[in-house]
């Protein structure tokens, strides 16, 4: 069983978070056993307020190091980040955990110093700001990037594709396809799919 810790920063994207969480829930149901167990955290342990003002009860601050840490953020991702939180992110990384970011969560991973020469991705709207703050870190326009223990995602419904890819890698393509069908998701998009399609491409 993979233990996943979600770290939600104030103003996180609710659709991106649920797009990452729901495939795990469905995978558990279809498998008939707990392939994944998750917990939800915030920097100060309070309830998590999304950009749409929805409030979610959490499991408090990050404490134990789980198998996977996923940072989900939205606008102004570093506004509530303190050195203690960056230290906790580094602790996951040094312990050998899988570490990922959704939407603008890549800012937190970069500030923690765990991003390097491998390309990362984030929401297209924040890409220029990220490149200005962290010019040595390559940024791609793909839906998600996966490198050994590190993964990043553009956010929105791209989180579904990334999580389905992870399910396929760990538990097989058949389960990932079954989860996709439960989500009424026509096709699992590859990482290389563009974040912003032209009007002509959408009409095809």
């Amino acid at each position: 069983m993979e233990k996943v810790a979600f770290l939600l920063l104030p103003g996180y994207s609710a659709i991106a978070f649920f797009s990452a969480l729901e495939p795990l829930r469905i995978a558990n149901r279809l498998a008939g056993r707990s392939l994944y167990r998750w917990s939800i955290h915030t920097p100060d342990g309070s309830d998590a307020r999304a950009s749409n003002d929805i409030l979610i009860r959490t499991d408090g601050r990050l404490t134990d190091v789980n198998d996977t840490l996923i940072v989900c953020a939205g606008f102004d991702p570093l506004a509530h980040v303190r050195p203690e939180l960056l230290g906790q992110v580094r602790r996951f990384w040094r312990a050998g955990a899988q570490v990922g970011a959704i939407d603008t969560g890549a800012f937190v991973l970069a500030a923690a110093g765990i991003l390097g020469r491998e390309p990362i991705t984030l929401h297209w709207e924040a890409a220029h700001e990220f490149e200005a703050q962290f010019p040595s870190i390559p940024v791609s326009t793909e839906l998600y990037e996966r490198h050994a223990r590190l993964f990043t995602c553009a956010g929105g419904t791209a989180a579904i594709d990334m999580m389905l890819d992870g399910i396929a890698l760990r538990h097989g393509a058949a389960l990932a396809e079954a989860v996709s069908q439960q989500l009424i998701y026509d096709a699992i998009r590859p990482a290389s799919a563009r974040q912003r399609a032209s009007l002509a491409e959408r009409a095809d």
Side-chain angles (χ1 to χ4, degrees):
M1 180 177 61
E2 181 178 347
K3 296 179 180 178
V4 181
F6 287 95
L7 175 62
L8 306 183
L9 272 64
Y12 69 95
S13 166
I15 190 171
F17 167 59
F18 285 116
S19 292
L21 176 62
E22 283 297 281
L24 304 184
R25 178 190 66 80
I26 295 169
N28 283 353
R29 184 172 72 84
L30 296 181
R33 58 192 178 96
S34 294
L35 302 176
Y36 302 94
R37 183 195 303 173
W38 53 86
S39 56
I40 303 170
H41 308 273
T42 53
D44 62 2
S46 63
D47 291 342
R49 189 174 296 279
S51 58
N52 62 5
D53 213 34
I54 191 173
L55 200 62
I56 294 179
R57 187 177 62 189
T58 73
D59 299 292
R61 298 184 182 185
L62 287 172
T63 52
D64 299 334
V65 173
N66 291 352
D67 301 313
T68 301
L69 171 66
I70 301 177
V71 181
C72 186
F75 298 112
D76 204 6
L78 296 179
H80 301 275
V81 172
R82 302 293 179 265
E84 178 187 1
L85 181 66
L86 298 179
Q88 290 173 322
V89 173
R90 285 190 290 269
R91 184 161 54 93
F92 271 77
W93 183 251
R94 291 168 181 164
Q98 300 273 332
V99 176
I102 296 175
D103 203 324
T104 59
F107 280 85
V108 179
L109 303 192
I114 67 172
L115 299 183
R117 289 175 292 183
E118 294 174 320
I120 64 93
T121 193
L122 71 166
H123 194 282
W124 60 266
E125 194 174 22
H128 291 309
E129 181 182 350
F130 184 93
E131 290 170 324
Q133 291 193 38
F134 306 101
S136 65
I137 300 172
V139 176
S140 84
T141 58
E142 301 203 345
L143 293 183
Y144 59 91
E145 291 276 359
R146 191 182 298 278
H147 307 285
R149 293 192 294 117
L150 178 69
F151 56 94
T152 52
C153 173
T157 58
I160 296 176
D161 302 283
M162 182 181 71
M163 300 307 280
L164 290 174
D165 177 68
I167 292 169
L169 288 172
R170 194 171 178 90
H171 302 288
L175 179 59
E177 179 62 30
V179 173
S180 176
Q181 291 176 3
Q182 286 289 315
L183 289 165
I184 321 296
Y185 207 60
D186 287 345
I188 303 174
R189 294 176 293 178
S192 58
R194 294 171 57 187
Q195 291 187 30
R196 303 177 72 187
S198 67
L199 290 176
E201 290 171 326
R202 292 173 187 171
D204 288 344

